[in-house]
């Protein structure tokens, strides 16, 4: 299955600030993993008075690295792209140390309510304590010393995911919605594939020249990369539909075929991605089940009306 040209080249430079564009520095937390790559990127935007985007996990070394990188500069705003524990928890300590206001789309919430008997597999990854001082609506802008950031709401990875556009620069801080090194996991009930695809189409229409993600290096050719990412997701959707039409009735069966070249350790996450596609396909009347979609449900092609 064709994929975008993912870029795995990245030097995290733990413990120090790395300039990535004029007036923008990146400090990467040392929290590598299968979903975080080399770690979470925190960004410092501005000069004498700055904003911090995605302060990161509650980690002492990362906190100290951020404070050293700020080096006496005033911090007026702390922006949070979404409320996973690798992005938002350090906002509390950073706010206490700097007096900055916190900014985000809102507190953590699922894309849909939990169904009877359903367990949220990513509940421990969610930061339920973060409530922003300022809740941004789509298109709302906050400004500081030489910078202005506009909220571009991008639900999908989480319901409260937001990207932030740097005014006048065609630079978008894309959080976990779009990353150069990998696709983003979309796992119900926190995530929604329908929402994710709609948000992806929004970014395609924007035509930014540079994306700075929450993990890994920049997306330097956003137009072609986003279109390839869209094609990849649509091919994955068609693969799920094809497996159901071929007689696969369970998600585990589908994963074994669709993700046969993927490390089996990631098959649990892959199953959630397939579920996200199935929820969308059922909503559009292309797949049917005897009950609501779930990891354990039995699926079949929908009967044409």
């Amino acid at each position: 299955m064709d994929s975008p040209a993912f870029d795995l080249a990245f030097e995290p430079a733990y413990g120090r600030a790395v300039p990535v564009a004029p007036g923008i520095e990146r400090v990467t937390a040392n929290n590598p993993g299968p979903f975080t790559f080399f770690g979470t990127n925190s960004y410092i935007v501005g000069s004498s008075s700055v904003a911090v985007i995605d302060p990161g996990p509650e980690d002492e070394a990362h906190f100290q690295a951020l404070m050293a990188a700020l080096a006496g500069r005033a911090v007026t705003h702390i922006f949070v792209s979404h409320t996973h524990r690798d992005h938002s928890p350090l906002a509390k300590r950073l706010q206490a140390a700097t007096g900055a206001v916190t900014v985000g789309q809102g507190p953590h919430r699922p894309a849909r309510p939990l169904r009877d008997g359903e367990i949220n597999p990513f509940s421990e990854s969610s930061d339920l304590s973060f409530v922003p001082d300022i809740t941004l609506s789509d298109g709302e802008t906050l400004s500081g010393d030489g910078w202005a950031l506009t909220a571009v709401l991008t639900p999908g990875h989480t319901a409260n995911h937001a990207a932030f556009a740097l005014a006048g620069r065609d630079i978008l801080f894309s959080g976990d919605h779009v990353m150069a090194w990998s696709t983003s996991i979309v796992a119900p009930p926190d995530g929604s594939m329908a929402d994710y695809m709609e948000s992806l189409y929004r970014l395609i229409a924007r035509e930014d020249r540079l994306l700075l993600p929450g993990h890994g290096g920049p997306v330097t050719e956003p137009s072609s990369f986003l279109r390839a990412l869209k094609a990849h997701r649509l091919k994955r959707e068609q693969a799920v539909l094809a497996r159901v039409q071929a007689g696969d009735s369970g998600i585990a069966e589908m994963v074994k075929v669709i993700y046969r070249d993927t490390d089996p350790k990631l098959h649990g996450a892959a199953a959630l991605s397939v579920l996200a596609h199935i929820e969308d396909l059922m909503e559009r009347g292309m797949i049917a089940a005897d009950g609501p979609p779930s990891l354990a449900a039995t699926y079949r092609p929908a009967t044409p009306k």
Side-chain angles (χ1 to χ4, degrees):
M1 183 171 292
D2 294 336
S3 296
F6 292 121
D7 184 1
L8 301 181
F10 182 69
E11 171 50 59
Y14 299 129
R16 63 183 179 88
V18 177
V20 293
I24 304 173
E25 299 166 277
R26 182 187 67 222
V27 182
T28 302
N30 190 359
N31 61 326
F35 302 119
T36 59
F37 197 34
F38 282 95
T40 303
N41 294 331
S42 300
Y43 293 98
I44 300 170
V45 184
S47 53
S48 60
S49 177
V50 303
V52 173
I53 299 174
D54 279 347
E58 177 51 67
D59 179 87
E60 178 64 27
H62 187 56
F63 175 73
Q64 294 299 335
L66 275 176
M67 294 304 294
L70 292 167
R73 291 180 287 179
V75 181
T76 58
H77 297 77
I78 301 168
F79 288 78
V80 168
S81 66
H82 65 291
T83 45
H84 278 158
R85 289 188 179 275
D86 54 324
H87 286 262
S88 57
L90 201 60
K92 183 176 181 180
R93 287 184 67 191
L94 190 60
Q95 181 178 45
T98 64
V101 295
T102 57
V103 183
Q105 194 278 325
H108 193 83
R109 65 183 189 279
R112 60 162 175 77
L114 281 171
R115 300 188 176 104
D116 288 345
E118 185 179 23
I119 297 173
N120 185 346
F122 279 83
S123 59
E124 293 185 1
S125 301
S126 304
D127 180 6
L128 303 180
S129 66
F130 178 79
V131 179
D133 298 320
I134 299 174
T135 300
L136 286 181
S137 301
D138 190 51
E140 190 172 352
T141 300
L142 291 177
S143 302
D145 179 21
W147 58 265
L149 289 166
T150 300
V152 181
L153 299 192
T154 48
H157 176 64
T158 60
N160 68 346
H161 195 286
F164 303 107
L166 186 58
R169 301 280 298 276
D170 295 329
I171 294 175
L172 185 77
F173 297 91
S174 56
D176 281 9
H177 185 65
V178 176
M179 301 175 289
W181 72 283
S182 176
T183 56
S184 175
I185 185 169
V186 180
D190 272 10
S192 160
M193 189 61 70
D195 289 347
Y196 180 88
M197 293 303 293
E198 184 175 345
S199 297
L200 189 60
Y201 296 144
R202 290 198 68 196
L203 296 199
I204 290 172
R206 286 183 51 83
E207 298 184 348
D208 293 294
R209 67 174 181 84
L210 183 69
L211 306 185
L212 296 176
H215 307 279
V219 177
T220 56
E221 299 289 343
S223 180
S224 59
F225 187 84
L226 289 168
R227 284 171 171 78
L229 190 57
K230 178 187 77 170
H232 174 75
R233 291 286 189 178
L234 292 176
K235 285 183 179 180
R236 190 73 82 193
E237 174 188 283
Q238 287 302 308
V240 171
L241 187 59
R243 293 317 308 163
V244 174
Q245 292 170 340
D248 288 355
S249 60
I251 287 178
E253 297 173 81
M254 302 178 207
V255 168
K256 288 179 182 178
V257 177
I258 298 172
Y259 292 88
R260 57 184 174 273
D261 297 327
T262 300
D263 186 340
K265 293 178 182 177
L266 298 177
H267 279 193
L272 291 167
S273 181
V274 170
L275 176 60
H277 278 295
I278 286 176
E279 286 190 344
D280 186 24
L281 288 165
M282 286 185 65
E283 182 66 26
R284 290 152 55 194
M286 301 174 75
I287 290 177
D290 291 334
S294 72
L295 291 172
T298 299
Y299 300 100
R300 63 183 183 277
T303 302
K305 294 182 179 180

